[in-house]
Amino acid sequence: GAVVSQHPSRVICKSGTSVKIECRSLDFQATTMFWYRQFPKQSLMLMATSNEGSKATYEQGVEKDKFLINHASLTLSTLTVTSAHPEDSSFYICSGSLIRGGYTFGSGTRLTVV
Amino acid sequence: QKEVEQDPGPLSVPEGAIVSLNCTYSNSAFQYFMWYRQYSRKGPELLMYTYSSGNKEDGRFTAQVDKSSKYISLFIRDSQPSDSATYLCAMSAIGYGQNFVFGPGTRLSVLP
């Protein structure tokens, strides 16, 4: 149980376009969803925390106008990378917090901006 | 000094060996500790979580927390090639799913 489905798993887009990444909690209600970015050989870096029905809280240094997060329902959160540039190429992962402790991750999205 | 330090490896061990993975941290406020396993190009998978000091065992895995030394460990007994992955420690002062700080991960290879 407690599965987060994330898609797409891989996306290649042109510089200047926008990309939307979706995370759905399949068998639990994710009141809080976290979005991470992982660069090669580095750890997960928290980008933002979103609570259902309210604005996301962004970590320092993360541009909220560039990384739009929507958490309109208890089962769906989206991250839109707007006007993507090559430096945005990374591995993006979402996770939902679990009542029992810890959290469950999506499978990640490999974004390549060319 | 980074908040959470972890030897990046790679760590190579023969099948059946006991593996010890470790993290040190600097923030004495951390109370919630977790270990994740991440296969290549996949999201991290929660392995174990512990609160405060002590040991916790789950199958072949044992998590150990020593708050006085600011040191946590994950032991894997009878290691298998399928255990080959990157192992990340994570910790928080507030609670599970909140304000986590991750270690950079240790890449483990278990050789058949």
Side-chain angles (χ1 to χ4, degrees), chain A residues 80-97:
Chain A
T80 301
V81 183
T82 63
S83 187
H85 288 94
E87 58 265 30
D88 298 323
S89 298
S90 186
F91 191 52
Y92 293 86
I93 308 174
C94 63
S95 71
S97 58

Side-chain angles (χ1 to χ4, degrees), chain A residues 60-77:
Chain A
Q60 192 172 10
V62 178
E63 300 174 60
K64 61 180 182 181
D65 294 329
K66 181 171 184 61
F67 299 98
L68 301 179
I69 292 173
N70 185 287
H71 194 167
S73 77
L74 288 170
T75 59
L76 175 64
S77 179

Side-chain angles (χ1 to χ4, degrees), chain A residues 10 32 34 36 38 41-46 49 59 91 93 97-98 100-108 110, chain B residues 8 34 36 38-39 41-46 49 86 88-90 96-105 107:
Chain A
R10 300 180 67 91
T32 303
F34 303 87
Y36 295 85
Q38 184 179 32
K41 298 187 180 181
Q42 295 185 30
S43 187
L44 299 176
M45 296 295 294
L46 179 64
T49 303
E59 296 299 301
F91 191 52
I93 308 174
S97 58
L98 302 174
R100 65 176 173 86
Y103 40 166
T104 184
F105 286 85
S107 54
R110 172 75 59 187
Chain B
M34 278 157 293
Y36 289 84
Q38 184 179 20
Y39 292 110
R41 298 177 180 267
K42 300 290 185 183
E45 167 197 8
L46 177 64
Y49 59 93
T86 296
L88 300 135
C89 62
Y96 298 121
Q98 300 184 64
N99 294 94
F100 276 116
V101 179
F102 280 86
R107 189 153 53 92

